[in-house]
Amino acid sequence: MKILSIETSCDETGISILEVKGSKNPSFKVLANSLNSQIKIHAQYGGVFPALAKREHQKNLPILLEKTLVKAKLASSVGLGPRNKKIKPVDLIAVTSGPGLEPALWTGIVFAKELSKKWNVPLVPVNHMEGHILSVFGEEKKEFKIKKINFPALSLLVSGGHTELVLFEKFGKYKIIGETLDDAAGEAFDKVARMLLLPYPGGPEISKLAEETRKRKNSCPEKLNFSFSLPRPMKYSKNFDFSFSGLKTAVLYLIRDLKEKNPNILENIDIKKQIAMEFENAVVETLVYKTNKAFEKYKVKTLIVAGGVSANKFLKSEMKKIIQKDQKIFFPNKKLSGDNSVMISIAGALKYFTNNKKTINPNKIKADGNLRLD
Ligand code: KG4
Ligand code: ZN
């Protein structure tokens, strides 16, 4: 069976085609994976501009579809090649229905519905966050399966729009046990980067500066003579919720105070690096502390860390430290940590097989910007 998936929840337009073998414990192989990032377009606004994202998705989807069909060697079956057979090129379509920016989600859904009708193939709506959870099993180049893991499993989902701790006893049935009450971790990275005059998306930029400072601190600590600390909001709260907006404000005040003494302070790269490191320390410390607490309370056997922020080196190394001998930890491959459509294929196929290949009427599929996992 071949599955085509479409992802347009934020600022990446993704279309991929996977070959799926078997249905009980299916194996997957990526035939083509296309991704068009709008980062450069949104960078000038310091974040994603929804109307612009929608326009770009609309423009990119047909181009990307053709490119993906050609790459997967399926173009001739839809009339793009000399054979012009015009048969259905895939057996199933999966599309992200939420959460995300609703105008952006709708473009993907409308496009998917048109294809589903034209080719007469079923359409499965996918929760983007479930896609992130399953992204940890994805491989770009080789065949892969959804690994058998021990339950209960816990997933820390950290992206530009979400920070959630999700507990589950099986794939497909999730319980959110904690989430951010304000900004998402990735959003905080992006906003603090903007304060430090770093480009969007800010996560990788802050991480790079923080890593450099950490290395330097280890090799010649005397060079760091500027000392300050940032808060770890809600670290010791009794629940598993997070908050990052107070931390972001603390950075804002810190920079304001420093600027009062020296208006050109942000031209000093060492100061920027130290703020980046302390900020990253504060975010990672909170994420790791709460995840560890949930581990103990729910006797977790498997940890899945996913979403754009899971690419963060320091988060990875600190998370690995809390894993005991009888526990396992999974991160996505670098290429599948950010938004992509391969993860939507995996989640779509899993949902299709779990529901015994029953699908809902495509006309009933709607975009839901606030779609939850539970
Ligand atoms: O999952 P994702 O690609 O999109 C959403 O669904 O939001 O996550 C994007 C977020 C951005 O906020 C970006 O700054 C952050 O992930 N990010 C990082 C790193 N790489 C991406 N944050 C911290 N460290 C990184 N290395
Ligand atoms: Zn995402």
Side-chain angles (χ1 to χ4, degrees):
M1 177 184 102
K2 289 185 184 66
I3 177 167
L4 177 136
S5 55
I6 299 169
E7 158 63 39
T8 61
S9 69
C10 193
D11 58 349
E12 318 272 348
T13 319
I15 299 189
S16 59
I17 299 173
L18 272 69
E19 172 88 58
V20 189
K21 284 188 200 147
S23 56
K24 258 199 155 168
N25 179 18
S27 69
F28 298 82
K29 175 102 178 67
V30 177
L31 301 181
N33 175 24
S34 314
L35 193 70
N36 189 296
S37 174
Q38 305 170 8
I39 281 177
K40 281 198 185 122
I41 294 165
H42 297 287
Q44 55 189 311
Y45 304 99
V48 182
F49 197 69
L52 212 57
K54 176 183 163 176
R55 198 191 68 190
E56 286 300 306
H57 287 311
Q58 276 171 334
K59 194 180 82 191
N60 290 329
L61 281 169
I63 304 168
L64 227 52
L65 175 68
E66 188 170 329
K67 197 175 135 189
T68 314
L69 286 167
V70 169
K71 246 200 275 176
K73 300 194 170 54
L74 295 169
S76 61
S77 59
V78 277
L80 296 175
R83 280 154 69 209
N84 204 10
K85 279 199 297 195
K86 292 202 177 169
I87 53 166
K88 59 176 187 180
V90 295
D91 309 281
L92 181 69
I93 302 174
V95 64
T96 305
S97 62
L101 303 169
E102 269 186 27
L105 288 164
W106 270 119
T107 57
I109 292 174
V110 168
F111 193 73
K113 281 183 185 178
E114 278 168 12
L115 291 180
S116 153
K117 214 164 153 187
K118 192 164 133 192
W119 295 336
N120 192 25
V121 289
L123 180 61
V124 191
V126 169
N127 184 312
H128 179 85
M129 304 315 287
E130 181 168 29
H132 274 304
I133 293 178
L134 292 161
S135 71
V136 299
F137 303 114
E139 298 280 353
E140 269 235 303
K141 300 257 150 57
K142 53 183 186 197
E143 213 170 286
F144 64 89
K145 284 188 176 216
I146 297 172
K147 289 204 176 77
K148 287 217 159 65
I149 60 163
N150 291 328
F151 294 101
L154 183 73
S155 184
L156 172 71
L157 297 174
V158 266
S159 69
H162 293 83
T163 303
E164 290 173 352
L165 271 172
V166 184
L167 189 69
F168 50 107
E169 287 284 350
K170 62 174 183 183
F171 290 113
K173 203 164 184 330
Y174 306 100
K175 187 168 184 255
I176 300 174
I177 58 164
E179 60 196 310
T180 182
L181 303 181
D182 40 58
D183 291 354
E187 190 181 354
F189 267 99
D190 294 336
K191 287 180 177 166
V192 167
R194 208 172 165 189
M195 292 175 204
L196 294 174
L197 310 176
L198 298 168
Y200 172 84
E205 300 288 331
I206 294 213
S207 173
K208 206 171 99 199
L209 295 187
E211 283 298 319
E212 283 170 20
T213 322
R214 229 167 258 126
K215 273 186 204 143
R216 200 176 122 195
K217 198 177 167 195
N218 290 339
S219 57
C220 45
E222 74 284 2
K223 288 213 174 134
L224 295 184
N225 48 12
F226 162 62
S227 112
F228 63 95
S229 67
L230 290 170
R232 271 73 173 146
M234 290 189 70
K235 182 176 167 186
Y236 298 110
S237 70
K238 289 218 161 64
N239 51 28
F240 296 105
D241 290 334
F242 304 94
S243 162
F244 294 106
S245 109
L247 173 60
K248 173 193 74 187
T249 311
V251 178
L252 187 76
Y253 289 159
L254 172 72
I255 297 173
R256 183 197 60 188
D257 293 347
L258 289 168
K259 272 187 170 171
E260 266 174 21
K261 285 179 211 137
N262 174 2
N264 301 323
I265 193 79
L266 290 181
E267 282 169 21
N268 182 336
I269 185 71
D270 285 337
I271 299 278
K272 269 163 88 152
K273 281 183 177 178
Q274 286 172 59
I275 296 174
M277 184 181 78
E278 174 59 12
F279 168 75
E280 191 176 76
N281 284 347
V283 174
V284 169
E285 198 179 303
T286 316
L287 292 174
V288 173
Y289 186 84
K290 285 261 159 114
T291 305
N292 199 23
K293 254 183 72 174
F295 249 55
E296 285 164 9
K297 175 159 182 190
Y298 295 102
K299 308 204 169 8
V300 172
K301 301 227 169 71
T302 306
L303 174 64
I304 288 176
V305 186
V309 184
S310 71
N312 186 279
K313 266 192 188 166
F314 188 56
L315 177 67
K316 272 189 181 173
S317 64
E318 292 301 297
M319 276 293 177
K320 281 180 190 162
K321 287 183 191 163
I322 63 170
I323 300 297
Q324 310 286 328
K325 258 194 195 140
D326 53 343
Q327 297 166 326
K328 274 210 162 129
I329 186 164
F330 293 90
F331 297 95
N333 281 337
K334 184 94 203 292
K335 273 209 158 170
L336 299 181
S337 63
D339 289 347
N340 66 87
S341 56
V342 172
M343 68 186 199
I344 303 305
S345 277
I346 308 171
L350 188 78
K351 194 169 172 183
Y352 184 63
F353 294 134
T354 315
N355 290 335
N356 290 322
K357 302 190 180 174
K358 269 192 233 118
T359 51
I360 59 164
N361 180 345
N363 292 330
K364 293 206 169 129
I365 298 175
K366 288 195 177 92
D368 181 354
N370 298 315
L371 186 66
R372 285 177 66 86
L373 264 176
D374 58 1

